[in-house]
Amino acid sequence: MLEWLIGKRRENTTPRVPATIMPEEVIALLEQGEKVVILDVRQQHEYRSGHIKGAQLIPLMELNKRLHELKKDATIITVCHSGRRSAQAARLLRAEGFTVRNMVGGMMKWPGKVVK
């Protein structure tokens, strides 16, 4: 896990899939019924304080051990409080062959409803 944190692991990026996505774009995708997975990488107490409906919780520090819980046939949108941890998660997932986008600004910029 430390390899990707310090940047020694090479990322597999697909030019057709931008690395980031704006919160408003996420709302549009969800409203259109697109097949996306919202992956919340915050800690459990942060998730309980308010999260995007249907978001799957896997804290960043557990992600490497729990990759098997994610499906590679859907686009994963990573989310955290501000976008920093989710950017790390997106790099890890991309290196493992997932299609992933990081939501810019995290939950701080989320204009939609939250579930508690």
Side-chain angles (χ1 to χ4, degrees), residues 17-73:
V17 180
T20 60
I21 187 168
M22 298 304 293
E24 296 78 13
E25 293 176 280
V26 175
I27 289 173
L29 289 175
L30 294 173
E31 287 175 350
Q32 294 166 12
E34 292 290 326
K35 188 176 182 181
V36 295
V37 173
I38 306 296
L39 178 62
D40 196 316
V41 297
R42 298 176 296 163
Q43 294 297 315
Q44 190 168 11
H45 70 277
E46 294 174 288
Y47 180 85
R48 282 193 309 260
S49 71
H51 59 274
I52 299 169
K53 183 178 180 180
Q56 182 176 352
L57 174 66
I58 302 179
L60 178 61
M61 297 312 281
E62 297 176 18
L63 186 56
N64 203 33
K65 296 180 211 166
R66 297 177 59 187
L67 291 174
H68 65 278
E69 296 178 31
L70 300 169
K71 296 180 181 176
K72 288 193 176 183
D73 65 345

Side-chain angles (χ1 to χ4, degrees), residues 60-113:
L60 178 61
M61 297 312 281
E62 297 176 18
L63 186 56
N64 203 33
K65 296 180 211 166
R66 297 177 59 187
L67 291 174
H68 65 278
E69 296 178 31
L70 300 169
K71 296 180 181 176
K72 288 193 176 183
D73 65 345
T75 297
I76 297 172
I77 298 172
T78 56
V79 178
C80 68
H81 178 69
S82 67
R84 295 178 77 189
R85 285 176 283 177
S86 56
Q88 292 175 342
R91 283 192 295 275
L92 168 67
L93 293 171
R94 213 173 286 114
E96 294 296 329
F98 290 89
T99 301
V100 60
R101 297 178 74 183
N102 180 41
M103 189 174 83
V104 175
M107 292 303 291
M108 288 176 35
K109 299 292 183 182
W110 178 249
K113 294 181 182 178

